[in-house]
Amino acid sequence: MRKLKSQPKDKRKVPIPDELRESMREAHEIIQEAERDPDEFPIDFGDAIQVGAICGGRIGSPKRPFRFTYYPDDDTEYGRWFLDLHGTEI
């Protein structure tokens, strides 16, 4: 029987890469469009927003309803970043 072994999170302050910043700007625009017309722009599933280097949607907790995965081009050591954000943090 296989057992999953939790890995400790590596929490630290890092500068926000330009590609992540630009991708989040585009995601913010999509979220604003979805607020105006939710039928035209549904964002309530895990890969509803795919722009630049991020993928995500509105699937997190009520406190931080947006969950994104950032795929940096040049980070082979740590790989993906997982971001749970409130709308004001985007």
Side-chain angles (χ1 to χ4, degrees):
M1 178 177 197
R2 291 177 60 188
K3 291 186 178 183
L4 294 176
K5 195 173 181 181
S6 296
Q7 298 280 334
K9 302 277 190 255
D10 182 14
K11 294 182 179 184
R12 57 194 162 123
K13 290 186 178 188
V14 296
I16 298 174
D18 289 338
E19 76 175 336
L20 175 57
R21 188 179 310 276
E22 184 56 37
S23 296
M24 292 308 272
R25 279 190 189 110
E26 291 180 47
H28 185 259
E29 291 173 11
I30 292 170
I31 292 166
Q32 287 178 326
E33 288 292 324
E35 287 175 359
R36 284 191 279 274
D37 191 354
D39 293 331
E40 183 70 27
F41 300 98
I43 59 171
D44 294 330
F45 54 95
D47 61 353
I49 300 172
Q50 298 180 20
V51 292
I54 63 171
C55 178
R58 188 188 337 254
I59 60 168
S61 70
K63 196 173 189 179
R64 290 211 157 88
F66 295 96
R67 180 169 292 158
F68 293 98
T69 304
Y70 167 55
Y71 299 92
D73 283 337
D74 58 351
D75 189 351
T76 57
E77 184 178 353
Y78 294 105
R80 299 173 292 176
W81 296 15
F82 301 100
L83 310 165
D84 287 353
L85 303 169
H86 187 272
T88 58
E89 295 173 311
I90 298 171

Coordinates of all heavy atoms in Angstrom, one line a residue:
M1 N 0.8 -1.2 0.0 CA 0.0 0.0 0.0 C 0.9 1.2 0.0 O 1.8 1.4 0.8 CB -0.9 0.0 1.2 CG -1.8 1.2 1.4 SD -2.8 1.0 2.8 CE -4.0 2.1 2.4
R2 N 0.6 2.2 -0.9 CA 1.4 3.4 -1.0 C 0.8 4.4 0.0 O -0.4 4.6 0.2 CB 1.2 4.0 -2.4 CG 1.9 3.2 -3.4 CD 1.8 3.8 -4.8 NE 2.3 5.1 -4.8 CZ 2.2 5.9 -5.8 NH1 1.5 5.5 -6.9 NH2 2.7 7.1 -5.8
K3 N 1.7 5.1 0.7 CA 1.3 6.2 1.6 C 1.9 7.5 1.1 O 3.1 7.6 0.6 CB 1.9 6.0 3.0 CG 1.2 4.8 3.7 CD 1.7 4.7 5.1 CE 1.0 3.6 5.8 NZ 1.4 3.5 7.2
L4 N 1.1 8.5 1.1 CA 1.5 9.9 0.7 C 2.3 10.5 1.8 O 1.9 10.5 3.0 CB 0.4 10.8 0.3 CG -0.4 10.3 -1.0 CD1 -1.6 11.2 -1.2 CD2 0.5 10.4 -2.2
K5 N 3.4 11.1 1.5 CA 4.2 11.7 2.5 C 4.2 13.2 2.3 O 4.6 13.6 1.2 CB 5.6 11.2 2.5 CG 6.5 11.5 3.6 CD 7.8 10.7 3.5 CE 8.7 11.0 4.7 NZ 9.9 10.3 4.6
S6 N 3.7 14.0 3.2 CA 3.7 15.4 3.0 C 5.1 16.1 3.0 O 5.9 15.7 3.8 CB 2.9 16.1 4.1 OG 1.5 15.7 4.1
Q7 N 5.2 17.0 2.1 CA 6.5 17.8 2.0 C 6.3 19.1 2.7 O 5.2 19.7 2.5 CB 6.9 18.0 0.6 CG 7.1 16.7 -0.2 CD 8.5 16.1 0.1 OE1 9.4 16.9 0.4 NE2 8.6 14.8 -0.1
P8 N 7.2 19.6 3.5 CA 7.1 20.9 4.1 C 7.1 22.0 3.0 O 7.8 21.8 2.0 CB 8.2 21.0 5.0 CG 9.2 20.0 4.6 CD 8.4 18.9 3.9
K9 N 6.3 23.0 3.2 CA 6.3 24.1 2.2 C 7.5 25.0 2.4 O 8.0 25.2 3.5 CB 5.1 25.0 2.4 CG 3.8 24.2 2.3 CD 3.4 24.1 0.9 CE 2.0 23.5 0.7 NZ 1.9 22.2 0.3
D10 N 8.0 25.5 1.3 CA 9.2 26.4 1.3 C 8.6 27.8 1.2 O 8.3 28.3 0.2 CB 10.1 26.1 0.2 CG 11.3 27.0 0.2 OD1 11.6 27.6 1.2 OD2 12.0 27.0 -0.9
K11 N 8.4 28.5 2.4 CA 7.9 29.8 2.4 C 9.0 30.8 2.6 O 9.8 30.7 3.5 CB 6.9 30.0 3.5 CG 5.7 29.1 3.4 CD 4.7 29.4 4.5 CE 3.5 28.5 4.3 NZ 2.4 28.7 5.3
R12 N 9.0 31.8 1.6 CA 10.1 32.8 1.7 C 9.6 34.0 0.8 O 8.8 33.8 0.0 CB 11.4 32.3 1.3 CG 11.5 31.7 -0.1 CD 12.7 31.0 -0.3 NE 12.6 30.1 -1.4 CZ 13.4 30.1 -2.5 NH1 14.4 30.9 -2.5 NH2 13.2 29.3 -3.4
K13 N 10.2 35.1 1.1 CA 9.9 36.3 0.3 C 10.8 36.3 -1.0 O 12.0 36.1 -0.9 CB 10.1 37.6 1.1 CG 9.1 37.8 2.2 CD 9.3 39.1 2.8 CE 8.2 39.3 3.9 NZ 8.2 40.6 4.4
V14 N 10.2 36.5 -2.1 CA 10.9 36.5 -3.4 C 10.3 37.7 -4.2 O 9.2 38.0 -4.1 CB 10.8 35.2 -4.2 CG1 11.4 34.1 -3.4 CG2 9.3 34.9 -4.5
P15 N 11.1 38.2 -5.1 CA 10.6 39.3 -6.0 C 9.6 38.6 -6.9 O 9.7 37.5 -7.4 CB 11.8 39.8 -6.7 CG 12.8 38.8 -6.5 CD 12.5 38.0 -5.3
I16 N 8.5 39.4 -7.3 CA 7.5 38.9 -8.2 C 8.1 39.0 -9.7 O 8.4 40.1 -10.1 CB 6.2 39.7 -8.1 CG1 5.7 39.5 -6.7 CG2 5.2 39.2 -9.2 CD1 4.4 40.3 -6.4
P17 N 8.2 37.9 -10.4 CA 8.7 37.9 -11.7 C 7.8 38.7 -12.7 O 6.6 38.7 -12.5 CB 8.8 36.4 -12.2 CG 8.7 35.7 -10.9 CD 8.0 36.5 -9.9
D18 N 8.4 39.4 -13.6 CA 7.6 40.2 -14.6 C 6.5 39.4 -15.3 O 5.4 39.9 -15.5 CB 8.5 40.9 -15.6 CG 9.4 42.0 -15.0 OD1 9.0 42.5 -13.9 OD2 10.4 42.3 -15.5
E19 N 6.8 38.1 -15.7 CA 5.9 37.3 -16.4 C 4.7 37.0 -15.5 O 3.5 36.9 -16.0 CB 6.5 36.1 -17.0 CG 6.8 35.0 -16.0 CD 7.3 33.7 -16.7 OE1 7.0 33.5 -17.9 OE2 8.0 32.9 -16.0
L20 N 4.9 36.8 -14.2 CA 3.8 36.5 -13.3 C 3.0 37.8 -13.1 O 1.7 37.8 -13.1 CB 4.3 36.0 -11.9 CG 3.3 35.9 -10.8 CD1 2.2 34.9 -11.3 CD2 4.0 35.4 -9.6
R21 N 3.6 38.9 -13.0 CA 2.9 40.2 -12.8 C 2.0 40.5 -14.0 O 0.8 40.8 -13.8 CB 3.9 41.3 -12.6 CG 3.4 42.7 -12.3 CD 4.5 43.7 -12.1 NE 5.6 43.3 -11.2 CZ 5.5 43.4 -9.9 NH1 4.5 43.9 -9.3 NH2 6.6 43.0 -9.2
E22 N 2.5 40.3 -15.2 CA 1.7 40.5 -16.4 C 0.6 39.5 -16.5 O -0.5 39.9 -16.9 CB 2.6 40.5 -17.7 CG 1.9 40.8 -18.9 CD 1.2 42.2 -18.9 OE1 1.7 43.1 -18.3 OE2 0.1 42.3 -19.5
S23 N 0.8 38.3 -16.2 CA -0.2 37.2 -16.3 C -1.3 37.6 -15.3 O -2.5 37.4 -15.6 CB 0.4 35.9 -16.0 OG 1.3 35.5 -16.9
M24 N -1.0 38.0 -14.1 CA -2.0 38.4 -13.1 C -2.8 39.6 -13.5 O -4.0 39.7 -13.3 CB -1.3 38.6 -11.7 CG -0.8 37.4 -11.1 SD -1.9 36.0 -11.1 CE -2.7 36.3 -9.5
R25 N -2.2 40.5 -14.3 CA -2.9 41.7 -14.8 C -4.0 41.2 -15.8 O -5.2 41.6 -15.7 CB -2.0 42.7 -15.5 CG -1.3 43.6 -14.6 CD -0.6 44.7 -15.4 NE 0.3 45.4 -14.5 CZ 1.6 45.4 -14.5 NH1 2.3 44.7 -15.4 NH2 2.3 46.1 -13.6
E26 N -3.6 40.3 -16.6 CA -4.6 39.7 -17.6 C -5.7 38.9 -16.9 O -6.8 39.0 -17.3 CB -3.8 38.8 -18.6 CG -2.9 39.6 -19.6 CD -2.2 38.7 -20.5 OE1 -2.9 37.8 -21.1 OE2 -1.0 38.8 -20.7
A27 N -5.3 38.1 -15.8 CA -6.3 37.4 -15.1 C -7.3 38.3 -14.4 O -8.5 38.1 -14.4 CB -5.6 36.5 -14.0
H28 N -6.8 39.5 -13.9 CA -7.6 40.5 -13.3 C -8.7 41.0 -14.3 O -9.8 41.2 -13.9 CB -6.8 41.6 -12.7 CG -7.6 42.6 -11.9 ND1 -8.0 43.8 -12.5 CD2 -8.1 42.6 -10.7 CE1 -8.7 44.5 -11.6 NE2 -8.8 43.8 -10.5
E29 N -8.2 41.2 -15.5 CA -9.2 41.7 -16.5 C -10.2 40.7 -16.8 O -11.4 41.0 -17.0 CB -8.4 42.0 -17.8 CG -7.5 43.3 -17.7 CD -6.6 43.5 -18.9 OE1 -6.9 42.8 -19.9 OE2 -5.7 44.3 -18.8
I30 N -9.9 39.4 -16.8 CA -10.8 38.3 -17.1 C -11.8 38.2 -15.9 O -13.0 38.1 -16.1 CB -10.1 37.0 -17.3 CG1 -9.3 37.0 -18.6 CG2 -11.1 35.8 -17.2 CD1 -8.4 35.9 -18.8
I31 N -11.3 38.4 -14.7 CA -12.2 38.4 -13.5 C -13.2 39.5 -13.6 O -14.4 39.3 -13.3 CB -11.4 38.4 -12.2 CG1 -10.6 37.0 -12.1 CG2 -12.3 38.6 -11.0 CD1 -9.5 37.0 -11.1
Q32 N -12.8 40.7 -14.0 CA -13.7 41.8 -14.1 C -14.7 41.6 -15.1 O -15.9 41.9 -14.9 CB -12.9 43.1 -14.4 CG -12.1 43.6 -13.2 CD -11.3 44.9 -13.6 OE1 -10.8 45.0 -14.7 NE2 -11.1 45.7 -12.7
E33 N -14.3 41.0 -16.3 CA -15.3 40.6 -17.3 C -16.3 39.6 -16.8 O -17.5 39.7 -17.1 CB -14.6 40.1 -18.5 CG -13.8 41.1 -19.3 CD -14.7 42.1 -20.0 OE1 -15.8 41.7 -20.5 OE2 -14.3 43.3 -20.1
A34 N -15.9 38.6 -16.0 CA -16.7 37.6 -15.4 C -17.7 38.2 -14.5 O -18.9 37.7 -14.4 CB -15.9 36.5 -14.8
E35 N -17.3 39.2 -13.7 CA -18.3 39.9 -12.8 C -19.4 40.6 -13.6 O -20.5 40.7 -13.1 CB -17.5 40.9 -11.9 CG -16.7 40.2 -10.9 CD -15.8 41.1 -10.0 OE1 -15.8 42.3 -10.3 OE2 -15.1 40.6 -9.1
R36 N -19.0 41.2 -14.7 CA -20.0 41.9 -15.6 C -21.0 40.9 -16.2 O -22.1 41.2 -16.4 CB -19.3 42.8 -16.6 CG -18.7 44.0 -16.0 CD -18.3 45.0 -17.1 NE -17.0 44.7 -17.7 CZ -15.9 45.1 -17.2 NH1 -15.8 45.8 -16.1 NH2 -14.7 44.8 -17.8
D37 N -20.4 39.8 -16.7 CA -21.3 38.8 -17.4 C -20.8 37.4 -17.1 O -20.0 36.8 -17.9 CB -21.2 39.1 -18.9 CG -22.2 38.3 -19.7 OD1 -22.9 37.4 -19.1 OD2 -22.3 38.5 -20.9
P38 N -21.2 36.8 -16.0 CA -20.8 35.5 -15.6 C -21.2 34.3 -16.5 O -20.5 33.3 -16.6 CB -21.4 35.3 -14.2 CG -22.5 36.3 -14.1 CD -22.2 37.4 -15.0
D39 N -22.2 34.5 -17.3 CA -22.6 33.5 -18.3 C -21.6 33.4 -19.4 O -21.4 32.4 -20.0 CB -24.0 33.7 -18.8 CG -25.0 33.5 -17.6 OD1 -24.8 32.7 -16.7 OD2 -26.1 34.2 -17.7
E40 N -21.1 34.6 -19.8 CA -20.2 34.7 -21.0 C -18.8 34.3 -20.6 O -18.0 33.8 -21.4 CB -20.2 36.1 -21.5 CG -19.4 36.3 -22.8 CD -19.9 35.6 -24.0 OE1 -21.1 35.4 -24.1 OE2 -19.1 35.3 -24.9
F41 N -18.4 34.6 -19.3 CA -17.0 34.4 -18.8 C -17.1 33.5 -17.6 O -16.8 34.1 -16.5 CB -16.3 35.7 -18.6 CG -16.2 36.6 -19.8 CD1 -17.1 37.6 -20.0 CD2 -15.2 36.3 -20.7 CE1 -17.0 38.4 -21.1 CE2 -15.1 37.1 -21.8 CZ -16.0 38.2 -22.1
P42 N -17.4 32.2 -17.6 CA -17.4 31.4 -16.4 C -16.0 31.2 -15.9 O -15.1 30.8 -16.7 CB -18.1 30.1 -16.8 CG -17.8 30.0 -18.3 CD -17.8 31.5 -18.8
I43 N -15.7 31.4 -14.6 CA -14.4 31.2 -14.1 C -14.4 30.4 -12.8 O -13.4 30.3 -12.1 CB -13.7 32.6 -13.7 CG1 -14.5 33.4 -12.7 CG2 -13.4 33.4 -15.0 CD1 -13.9 34.6 -12.2
D44 N -15.5 29.6 -12.6 CA -15.6 28.8 -11.4 C -15.1 27.4 -11.5 O -15.8 26.5 -11.0 CB -17.1 28.8 -11.0 CG -17.6 30.2 -10.6 OD1 -16.7 31.0 -10.1 OD2 -18.8 30.5 -10.7
F45 N -14.0 27.2 -12.2 CA -13.4 25.9 -12.2 C -11.9 26.0 -12.3 O -11.4 27.1 -12.6 CB -14.0 25.0 -13.3 CG -14.0 25.6 -14.7 CD1 -13.0 25.3 -15.6 CD2 -15.0 26.4 -15.1 CE1 -13.0 25.8 -16.9 CE2 -15.0 26.9 -16.4 CZ -14.0 26.6 -17.3
G46 N -11.2 24.9 -12.1 CA -9.8 25.0 -11.9 C -8.9 25.5 -13.0 O -7.8 26.0 -12.7
D47 N -9.3 25.4 -14.2 CA -8.4 25.9 -15.3 C -9.2 26.9 -16.2 O -8.9 27.0 -17.4 CB -7.8 24.8 -16.1 CG -8.9 23.9 -16.8 OD1 -10.1 24.1 -16.5 OD2 -8.5 23.0 -17.6
A48 N -10.1 27.6 -15.6 CA -10.9 28.6 -16.4 C -10.1 29.7 -16.9 O -10.4 30.3 -17.9 CB -12.1 29.1 -15.5
I49 N -9.1 30.1 -16.1 CA -8.3 31.3 -16.5 C -6.9 30.7 -16.9 O -6.2 30.2 -16.1 CB -8.2 32.3 -15.4 CG1 -9.5 32.8 -15.0 CG2 -7.2 33.4 -15.8 CD1 -9.5 33.7 -13.8
Q50 N -6.6 30.9 -18.2 CA -5.2 30.4 -18.6 C -4.6 31.5 -19.5 O -5.0 31.7 -20.6 CB -5.4 29.2 -19.5 CG -5.9 28.0 -18.8 CD -6.1 26.8 -19.7 OE1 -5.4 26.6 -20.7 NE2 -6.9 25.8 -19.3
V51 N -3.8 32.3 -18.8 CA -3.1 33.4 -19.5 C -1.6 33.4 -19.1 O -1.2 33.1 -18.0 CB -3.7 34.8 -19.1 CG1 -5.1 34.9 -19.7 CG2 -3.7 35.0 -17.6
G52 N -0.8 33.7 -20.1 CA 0.6 33.7 -19.9 C 1.1 32.5 -19.2 O 1.0 31.4 -19.7
A53 N 1.7 32.7 -18.0 CA 2.3 31.6 -17.3 C 1.5 31.1 -16.1 O 2.0 30.3 -15.3 CB 3.7 32.1 -16.7
I54 N 0.2 31.4 -16.1 CA -0.7 31.0 -15.0 C -1.9 30.2 -15.5 O -2.3 30.4 -16.6 CB -1.1 32.1 -14.0 CG1 -2.0 33.1 -14.8 CG2 0.1 32.8 -13.4 CD1 -2.6 34.1 -13.9
C55 N -2.4 29.4 -14.6 CA -3.7 28.7 -14.9 C -4.4 28.6 -13.6 O -3.8 28.3 -12.5 CB -3.3 27.3 -15.4 SG -4.7 26.2 -15.7
G56 N -5.7 28.9 -13.6 CA -6.5 28.8 -12.3 C -7.9 29.3 -12.5 O -8.4 29.3 -13.6
G57 N -8.5 29.6 -11.4 CA -9.9 30.0 -11.4 C -10.4 30.2 -10.0 O -9.7 30.2 -9.0
R58 N -11.8 30.4 -9.9 CA -12.4 30.6 -8.6 C -12.7 29.2 -8.0 O -13.8 28.7 -8.2 CB -13.6 31.5 -8.7 CG -14.2 31.9 -7.4 CD -15.5 32.6 -7.5 NE -15.9 33.2 -8.7 CZ -15.9 34.5 -8.9 NH1 -15.6 35.4 -8.0 NH2 -16.3 35.0 -10.1
I59 N -11.8 28.7 -7.2 CA -12.1 27.4 -6.6 C -11.6 27.3 -5.2 O -11.6 26.2 -4.6 CB -11.5 26.2 -7.4 CG1 -10.0 26.4 -7.6 CG2 -12.1 26.1 -8.8 CD1 -9.3 25.2 -8.1
G60 N -11.0 28.3 -4.6 CA -10.4 28.3 -3.3 C -11.4 28.4 -2.2 O -12.6 28.3 -2.4
S61 N -10.9 28.8 -1.0 CA -11.7 29.0 0.1 C -12.4 30.4 0.0 O -12.0 31.2 -0.8 CB -10.9 29.0 1.4 OG -10.0 30.1 1.4
P62 N -13.5 30.6 0.9 CA -14.1 31.9 0.8 C -13.2 33.1 1.1 O -13.3 34.1 0.6 CB -15.2 31.8 1.9 CG -15.5 30.3 2.0 CD -14.2 29.6 1.7
K63 N -12.2 32.8 2.0 CA -11.2 33.8 2.3 C -10.3 34.2 1.2 O -9.9 35.3 1.0 CB -10.4 33.4 3.5 CG -9.6 34.4 4.3 CD -9.0 33.9 5.5 CE -8.5 34.9 6.4 NZ -7.9 34.4 7.6
R64 N -9.9 33.2 0.4 CA -9.0 33.4 -0.8 C -9.6 32.5 -1.9 O -9.2 31.4 -2.1 CB -7.6 33.0 -0.5 CG -6.9 33.9 0.5 CD -5.4 33.9 0.2 NE -4.8 35.1 0.7 CZ -4.4 35.3 1.9 NH1 -4.4 34.4 2.8 NH2 -3.8 36.5 2.2
P65 N -10.6 33.1 -2.6 CA -11.4 32.2 -3.5 C -10.7 31.9 -4.9 O -11.2 31.0 -5.6 CB -12.6 33.1 -3.8 CG -12.2 34.5 -3.6 CD -11.2 34.4 -2.5
F66 N -9.6 32.5 -5.2 CA -8.9 32.2 -6.4 C -7.7 31.4 -6.2 O -6.9 31.7 -5.3 CB -8.5 33.6 -7.1 CG -9.7 34.3 -7.5 CD1 -10.2 35.4 -6.7 CD2 -10.4 34.0 -8.7 CE1 -11.3 36.1 -7.1 CE2 -11.6 34.8 -9.1 CZ -12.0 35.8 -8.3
R67 N -7.6 30.4 -7.0 CA -6.4 29.5 -6.9 C -5.7 29.4 -8.3 O -6.4 29.1 -9.3 CB -6.8 28.1 -6.5 CG -5.7 27.1 -6.4 CD -6.1 25.9 -5.7 NE -6.4 26.2 -4.3 CZ -7.1 25.4 -3.5 NH1 -7.7 24.3 -4.0 NH2 -7.4 25.7 -2.3
F68 N -4.4 29.7 -8.3 CA -3.6 29.8 -9.5 C -2.4 28.9 -9.4 O -1.8 28.8 -8.3 CB -3.2 31.2 -9.9 CG -4.3 32.1 -10.3 CD1 -4.9 33.0 -9.3 CD2 -4.9 32.1 -11.5 CE1 -5.9 33.8 -9.7 CE2 -5.9 32.9 -11.9 CZ -6.4 33.8 -10.9
T69 N -1.9 28.4 -10.5 CA -0.6 27.7 -10.5 C 0.2 28.5 -11.5 O -0.2 28.8 -12.6 CB -0.7 26.3 -11.0 OG1 -1.6 25.6 -10.1 CG2 0.6 25.6 -11.0
Y70 N 1.4 28.9 -11.1 CA 2.3 29.7 -11.9 C 3.4 28.7 -12.4 O 4.0 28.0 -11.6 CB 2.9 30.9 -11.1 CG 4.1 31.5 -11.7 CD1 4.0 32.1 -13.0 CD2 5.2 31.7 -11.0 CE1 5.1 32.7 -13.6 CE2 6.3 32.4 -11.5 CZ 6.3 32.8 -12.8 OH 7.4 33.5 -13.4
Y71 N 3.7 28.7 -13.7 CA 4.7 27.9 -14.3 C 5.8 28.7 -14.8 O 5.8 29.2 -15.9 CB 4.1 27.1 -15.4 CG 2.9 26.2 -15.0 CD1 1.6 26.6 -15.1 CD2 3.2 24.9 -14.6 CE1 0.6 25.8 -14.7 CE2 2.1 24.0 -14.2 CZ 0.8 24.5 -14.3 OH -0.2 23.7 -13.9
P72 N 6.8 29.0 -14.0 CA 7.9 29.8 -14.4 C 8.8 29.1 -15.4 O 9.0 27.9 -15.4 CB 8.7 30.1 -13.1 CG 8.3 29.0 -12.2 CD 7.0 28.6 -12.6
D73 N 9.2 29.9 -16.4 CA 10.0 29.3 -17.5 C 11.4 28.9 -17.0 O 11.9 27.9 -17.5 CB 10.2 30.4 -18.6 CG 9.0 30.5 -19.5 OD1 8.2 29.5 -19.5 OD2 8.8 31.5 -20.1
D74 N 12.0 29.7 -16.1 CA 13.4 29.5 -15.8 C 13.7 28.9 -14.4 O 14.8 28.9 -14.0 CB 14.2 30.8 -16.0 CG 13.6 31.9 -15.1 OD1 12.5 31.7 -14.5 OD2 14.2 32.9 -15.0
D75 N 12.7 28.4 -13.8 CA 12.9 27.9 -12.4 C 12.9 26.3 -12.4 O 11.8 25.7 -12.2 CB 11.8 28.4 -11.5 CG 12.1 28.1 -10.0 OD1 13.0 27.3 -9.7 OD2 11.4 28.6 -9.1
T76 N 14.0 25.7 -12.7 CA 14.1 24.3 -12.7 C 14.2 23.7 -11.3 O 14.0 22.5 -11.1 CB 15.2 23.8 -13.6 OG1 16.4 24.4 -13.1 CG2 15.0 24.2 -15.0
E77 N 14.7 24.5 -10.3 CA 14.9 24.0 -9.0 C 13.6 23.8 -8.2 O 13.4 22.8 -7.6 CB 15.8 25.0 -8.2 CG 16.2 24.5 -6.8 CD 17.1 25.4 -6.1 OE1 17.6 26.4 -6.7 OE2 17.3 25.1 -4.9
Y78 N 12.7 24.8 -8.3 CA 11.5 24.7 -7.5 C 10.2 24.5 -8.3 O 9.2 24.0 -7.8 CB 11.3 26.0 -6.7 CG 12.3 26.3 -5.6 CD1 13.4 27.2 -5.8 CD2 12.3 25.5 -4.5 CE1 14.3 27.3 -4.9 CE2 13.3 25.7 -3.5 CZ 14.3 26.6 -3.7 OH 15.3 26.7 -2.8
G79 N 10.3 24.7 -9.6 CA 9.1 24.4 -10.4 C 7.9 25.3 -10.2 O 8.1 26.5 -10.2
R80 N 6.8 24.7 -10.1 CA 5.5 25.5 -10.0 C 5.3 26.2 -8.7 O 5.9 25.8 -7.7 CB 4.3 24.5 -10.2 CG 4.3 23.8 -11.5 CD 3.2 22.8 -11.5 NE 3.6 21.7 -10.5 CZ 2.8 20.7 -10.2 NH1 1.6 20.6 -10.8 NH2 3.2 19.8 -9.4
W81 N 4.6 27.3 -8.8 CA 4.2 28.1 -7.6 C 2.7 27.9 -7.5 O 2.0 28.0 -8.5 CB 4.5 29.5 -7.7 CG 5.9 29.9 -7.9 CD1 7.0 29.1 -8.2 CD2 6.5 31.2 -7.8 NE1 8.2 29.9 -8.2 CE2 7.9 31.2 -8.0 CE3 5.9 32.5 -7.5 CZ2 8.7 32.3 -7.9 CZ3 6.7 33.6 -7.5 CH2 8.1 33.5 -7.7
F82 N 2.2 27.7 -6.3 CA 0.8 27.5 -6.0 C 0.3 28.8 -5.2 O 0.9 29.1 -4.2 CB 0.5 26.3 -5.2 CG 1.0 25.0 -6.0 CD1 2.2 24.4 -5.6 CD2 0.2 24.5 -7.0 CE1 2.6 23.3 -6.3 CE2 0.6 23.4 -7.7 CZ 1.8 22.8 -7.4
L83 N -0.7 29.5 -5.8 CA -1.1 30.7 -5.2 C -2.6 30.7 -4.9 O -3.4 30.5 -5.8 CB -0.8 31.9 -6.2 CG 0.6 32.0 -6.8 CD1 0.6 32.9 -8.0 CD2 1.5 32.4 -5.7
D84 N -3.0 30.9 -3.7 CA -4.3 31.1 -3.2 C -4.5 32.6 -2.9 O -3.8 33.1 -2.0 CB -4.7 30.3 -2.0 CG -4.8 28.8 -2.4 OD1 -4.8 28.4 -3.6 OD2 -5.0 28.0 -1.4
L85 N -5.4 33.3 -3.6 CA -5.4 34.7 -3.5 C -6.9 35.2 -3.4 O -7.8 34.6 -3.9 CB -4.8 35.4 -4.8 CG -3.4 35.0 -5.1 CD1 -3.0 35.5 -6.5 CD2 -2.4 35.6 -4.1
H86 N -7.0 36.3 -2.7 CA -8.2 37.1 -2.7 C -8.3 38.0 -3.9 O -7.2 38.3 -4.5 CB -8.3 37.9 -1.4 CG -9.6 38.6 -1.2 ND1 -9.9 39.8 -1.7 CD2 -10.7 38.2 -0.6 CE1 -11.1 40.2 -1.4 NE2 -11.6 39.2 -0.7
G87 N -9.4 38.4 -4.3 CA -9.5 39.3 -5.5 C -8.7 40.5 -5.4 O -8.2 41.0 -6.4
T88 N -8.6 41.1 -4.2 CA -7.8 42.3 -4.0 C -6.3 42.1 -4.1 O -5.5 43.0 -4.3 CB -8.1 43.0 -2.7 OG1 -7.8 42.1 -1.6 CG2 -9.6 43.4 -2.6
E89 N -5.9 40.8 -4.0 CA -4.5 40.5 -4.1 C -4.0 40.3 -5.5 O -2.9 40.3 -5.8 CB -4.2 39.2 -3.3 CG -4.4 39.4 -1.8 CD -4.2 38.1 -1.0 OE1 -4.8 37.1 -1.4 OE2 -3.5 38.1 0.0
I90 N -5.0 40.1 -6.4 CA -4.7 39.9 -7.8 C -4.5 41.2 -8.4 O -3.6 41.6 -9.1 CB -5.8 39.2 -8.5 CG1 -6.0 37.8 -7.9 CG2 -5.6 39.0 -10.0 CD1 -7.2 37.0 -8.4

